[in-house]
Amino acid sequence: TYQCAAQIVREGGFRNLFRGFYQTLLRESMSYAAYFGSYEATLRAVTPQGEDPTTAGILLAGSVSGLVVWGSVYPIDVVKTRIQACKKSSPDSTWKCVKSIFAKEGASGFFRGFATTMVRAVPVNAITFLVFEQVQKTCFEPPRRGTSIGSEDDKGDDNSSQRCSSQA
C-alpha cells in the first residue's frame, strides 16, 4: 500500500492521491438515498404489516436495492474510474471526461462492465442487508419481555445489549 501511494505521489504529486474524489462524492451522495430508500420500500412491500421481515424478504430487498443503486449511478462511476486511472499528471475535468467517452464510445461507453456489476450487486447487497438486519436485531433491539435486562419480567433470555457492548 505504501509503495502504491508513493508511486501515485511521484507521478502526480500529493493531490494525485485524491483524484476522482469529487466524482466519488457525487456518486455516493446520489446513491445512498436510492440504496436505503429502495431497500425499505421493497422490504415493506414484501412484509405483511405487523410482521417481522423474513430472511427471503430481506435478501430480495437487498438485491433490489443493489440493482437500483448501481443502475442509477453506474455512468458516474465509469467517469470516476476513468479519471482515477488517467495517466496524465492532470486528468480531464468531469465534463471533459464525459464528452471524451461519448465521442469515442458513444452512450455504451458509460456502461462498460455494467452487466458484471449488476450480477455482482445481487448477492453482495442481499448478504449486506441480511447481516445488517441481524446485527440490528442482535445488538440494538430492546428486550421483548420486561422493561430492562435483569428485571423480574425478563427471565434472562435476551442479553443482546450485553453481547454487543464493549467491555473495558
Side-chain angles (χ1 to χ4, degrees):
T1 304
Y2 173 76
Q3 290 173 338
C4 183
Q7 181 180 345
I8 290 169
V9 171
R10 270 194 309 276
E11 290 175 359
F14 183 74
R15 185 174 180 197
N16 208 25
L17 288 172
F18 300 95
R19 188 179 278 187
F21 173 78
Y22 294 112
Q23 296 78 15
T24 302
L25 189 62
L26 176 64
R27 182 196 68 192
E28 295 300 302
S29 64
M30 291 176 61
S31 68
Y32 279 107
Y35 191 55
F36 291 105
S38 61
Y39 173 74
E40 281 297 320
T42 305
L43 193 61
R44 288 179 186 185
V46 299
T47 304
Q49 193 169 2
E51 293 185 23
D52 288 337
T54 64
T55 299
I58 293 167
L59 292 171
L60 175 65
S63 298
V64 168
S65 71
L67 295 172
V68 166
V69 75
W70 280 110
S72 63
V73 300
Y74 195 80
I76 297 167
D77 192 64
V78 169
V79 172
K80 182 239 2 144
T81 301
R82 300 272 179 104
I83 288 172
Q84 287 176 326
C86 180
K87 293 292 183 187
K88 295 188 284 186
S89 61
S90 65
D92 292 340
S93 68
T94 301
W95 183 242
K96 198 170 182 180
C97 185
V98 166
K99 290 192 312 187
S100 174
I101 292 169
F102 190 75
K104 293 176 184 172
E105 304 170 56
S108 66
F110 295 101
F111 293 93
R112 290 186 81 182
F114 182 73
T116 304
T117 298
M118 296 303 269
V119 168
R120 181 197 69 190
V122 171
V124 167
N125 293 286
I127 298 301
T128 296
F129 275 106
L130 185 63
V131 170
F132 168 78
E133 290 290 349
Q134 192 59 50
V135 169
Q136 286 285 98
K137 187 176 183 180
T138 303
C139 295
F140 302 110
E141 246 183 38
R144 295 203 185 271
R145 290 186 274 157
T147 55
S148 65
I149 294 177
S151 70
E152 283 186 33
D153 292 335
D154 182 19
K155 304 298 183 209
D157 293 343
D158 189 345
N159 293 316
S160 61
S161 63
Q162 291 174 354
R163 283 194 301 267
C164 296
S165 64
S166 59
Q167 301 284 332

